Amino acid sequence: MRSIDFLTHDHTLFRDREVFEADFVPEQFGHREAQVRELAFLAAPGLEGNTPSCAVLRGPPGTGKTTSVLRLFSEIEEATRRLAPVHVNCQNERTRYAVFARVLEHLAGHPLPTTGTPLPEVLRRIARRCQERKCALLVCLDDANYLAAGDELNAVLSTLLRLHESFRSVRAGVFAVISDMDLDLRREVDARVFSVFHPAEVLFPPYTADEVHEILAQRVGQGLFPGAMDRIVAFAGAEGDIRAGIDLVRKSAEHAGREGRYRVLARDVVAVAGQVRAPALRRIAARLRKPERDLLVVLGRISAAGGAAMGPAEAYRAVREEIPLSYTTFRERLKTFEKDGILALPLVAGEGRRREIAFRYDPMAVMEACQEYTVP
Ligand SMILES: Nc1ncnc2c1ncn2[C@@H]1O[C@H](COP(=O)(O)OP(=O)(O)O)[C@@H](O)[C@H]1O
Ligand SMILES: [Mg+2]
C-alpha cells in the first residue's frame, strides 16, 4: 500500500475529523447551561456598550470552561457590534504585552507588525478602536493562572479595568479562567485591583461518569462511524478528563486507519490507550509542589499494594513511616488532592462519618505522573 493510501483510508473512517481537534467547539454542549447563562448575564451590560461584569471561572481541566466562553463569545459576536469579546489563551500569551497585543489584533482583525509597538501605543490603539466602534471590551483571560507568576496578572487586570480612566468611554470587563484549584486570586491580586475587579465566581465541577458517557457518545456519533464506544468510555472515565476520551477516539480511529480498516475495533483502543495516558493527571502533577507529589507517590504505592480500602488515619500511619509530616498537614494535602480530582474521600457505607481514600485515577498512573515531575 502506498503511504498516501493510509491517509485516504483515514479520511473515510472519520465522518468529520475536525470534531476531535482540541479547539473544536461542539454544537451540542449540555450540562453547562447554568454556567453559560450566568456568564451571559454578567456580559449583558456590555451588549449596550456598558461595562460588562467580571467573573472568575473556576474548575479543574476539561470541565468545559473554555468551550462555555467560546460559545458565548461567538453568540455575542453574532448579536452585536457594541461588545467586543476577546478570548486570550494565557498559556500562549504570558506577559501583559502579549495579552494586549492579542486584544489589539482581535480588534484590528490582523496581526501586529513584528517591529514591536510599545505597550502604551498598543493601549492607545485598543482604546481608539473601541471609541470608533462605540463598543465595550470583554476580555477572557483563559488559564489566567499562567499570568500569576510575577506581577503580570495584576498589571493586566488593573490596566484593563482602568482603561476608562485614561481613555474616555472605554469600558472593559474580564472573565478570568482558573484551572488551578489551589490558586487563590485574592492572594495573587492586589487588594486595590481586586476591589475594581470584584468578580462573580462561576464554578465548573468535574463531569459525572454519566455525563462523560453522554458527551463522548455525542462526539463519536458526530465524528466517527460506530465502533468501540464502550471500551473508549471505560478508559476515558478512568482518566476523569473528557479530553482524554476525545483524544482516545481520534487516536483509535487513526490506528484503525493505519491498518486499513474502516471500523474501529476494541483492539485499536487498547493499542493506543497508552499514548493518551492522563493528560489531566500530568497537568495536575505539574502544578503540585514537591512535598505534595512525594506524598502522592507514597499514597499511590500504599493503595496499589493494599487492595482493601483505607481511611485517612490508617493511611497517615503508613505514610509517616516514610515522610515526617503532621496529621493536620496530611489532611490538608488530602483536601488538595480531592479538589484537584485526584482522590475522592467518600463516606464508607454504614460506618457513620468514616471516610476512605479512593484514587480517581489508576494509582500507578498517579505515581508515574508525579515521578515524572520529580526528575530535575
Ligand atoms: N458539556 C460538554 N459537551 C460537549 N463537549 C464538551 C463538554 N465539556 C467539555 N467538552 C469538550 O471537552 C474538551 C475540554 O473542554 P474545555 O472547554 O477545553 O475544558 P476546560 O477549558 O475546562 O479545560 C473540549 O474538547 C470540549 O469540546
Ligand atoms: Mg480551557
Side-chain angles (χ1 to χ4, degrees):
M1 196 190 276
R2 293 171 308 159
S3 41
I4 190 82
D5 293 332
F6 292 118
L7 299 173
T8 355
H9 272 291
D10 202 37
H11 273 297
T12 54
L13 210 54
F14 289 98
R15 207 172 269 170
D16 181 357
R17 201 170 219 293
E18 198 204 328
V19 311
F20 302 111
E21 295 294 336
D23 58 356
F24 175 74
V25 179
E27 280 289 321
Q28 287 164 300
F29 186 63
H31 316 293
R32 286 297 177 243
E33 291 82 2
Q35 285 83 351
V36 176
R37 211 177 312 121
E38 175 76 14
L39 293 174
F41 175 79
L42 293 165
L47 300 176
E48 267 100 51
N50 297 312
T51 313
S53 304
C54 292
V56 170
L57 292 71
R58 191 181 272 284
T63 50
K65 300 181 296 299
T66 299
T67 310
S68 296
V69 169
L70 291 178
R71 285 176 55 101
L72 176 66
F73 279 15
S74 69
E75 276 184 36
I76 291 174
E77 278 182 328
E78 276 169 31
T80 181
R81 295 270 300 158
R82 299 299 310 276
L83 178 59
V86 185
H87 177 262
V88 180
N89 181 347
C90 301
Q91 291 195 41
N92 301 335
E93 323 297 343
R94 293 194 186 197
T95 63
R96 63 195 91 173
Y97 185 84
V99 168
F100 286 107
R102 183 74 204 88
V103 172
L104 178 56
E105 268 174 22
H106 183 95
L107 290 171
H110 57 77
L112 280 180
T114 44
T115 44
T117 317
L119 183 58
E121 177 57 21
V122 170
L123 295 178
R124 257 195 302 282
R125 290 193 197 167
I126 290 174
R128 202 178 318 129
R129 295 259 170 193
C130 291
Q131 286 162 340
E132 279 165 11
R133 191 171 141 181
K134 293 188 170 51
C135 71
L137 260 184
L138 177 53
V139 178
C140 173
L141 301 173
D142 202 347
D143 293 320
N145 33 299
Y146 284 89
L147 290 179
D151 225 17
E152 298 307 299
L153 184 58
N154 261 315
V156 169
L157 284 177
S158 72
T159 308
L160 267 174
L161 299 172
R162 297 211 158 100
L163 270 181
H164 66 96
E165 292 175 7
S166 319
F167 305 100
R168 200 173 39 81
S169 73
V170 177
R171 306 177 173 121
V174 175
F175 285 179
V177 178
I178 305 284
S179 297
D180 180 347
M181 300 304 281
D182 275 346
L183 189 89
D184 180 0
L185 269 189
R186 278 174 195 275
R187 228 172 29 209
E188 299 294 334
V189 174
D190 270 3
R192 275 191 5 259
V193 177
F194 205 87
S195 70
V196 269
F197 183 34
H198 55 86
E201 172 119 341
V202 182
L203 286 177
F204 287 72
Y207 292 117
T208 64
D210 284 349
E211 287 169 343
V212 169
H213 188 283
E214 195 188 311
I215 292 168
L216 284 180
Q218 277 168 1
R219 198 63 73 91
V220 167
Q222 197 179 347
L224 206 70
F225 293 107
M229 182 61 191
D230 287 346
R231 223 28 195 271
I232 287 171
V233 170
F235 270 104
E239 293 293 344
D241 180 343
I242 197 98
R243 224 178 258 129
I246 295 171
D247 221 28
L248 189 55
V249 173
R250 181 171 54 77
K251 288 215 167 75
S252 304
E254 284 167 356
H255 187 265
R258 277 197 300 276
E259 299 205 336
R261 260 180 291 109
Y262 296 93
R263 291 188 79 77
V264 176
L265 307 175
R267 68 179 152 90
D268 297 311
V269 183
V270 175
V272 299
Q275 304 164 21
V276 188
R277 224 182 186 141
L281 203 45
R282 279 200 301 274
R283 275 196 301 275
I284 295 169
R287 280 202 316 262
L288 293 173
R289 288 171 300 144
K290 174 140 181 6
E292 292 166 337
R293 289 196 297 263
D294 290 346
L295 175 56
L296 264 182
V297 170
V298 176
L299 278 176
R301 183 159 2 100
I302 297 172
S303 166
M310 76 188 152
E314 300 151 74
Y316 176 65
R317 276 194 297 278
V319 163
R320 209 182 33 187
E321 296 189 357
E322 298 189 42
I323 304 177
L325 83 177
S326 72
Y327 191 58
T328 316
T329 309
F330 177 72
R331 291 297 306 221
E332 272 167 16
R333 294 205 171 136
L334 285 187
K335 284 266 169 247
T336 305
F337 301 151
E338 189 186 18
K339 260 194 311 177
D340 277 340
I342 297 179
L343 298 176
L345 295 168
L347 289 168
V348 181
E351 295 197 34
R353 298 184 52 225
R354 210 173 95 82
R355 293 184 178 276
E356 65 170 293
I357 297 178
F359 272 87
R360 294 183 54 186
Y361 296 86
D362 173 7
M364 298 304 281
V366 173
M367 289 164 65
E368 237 168 63
C370 289
Q371 276 160 341
E372 231 171 78
Y373 280 94
T374 310
V375 178

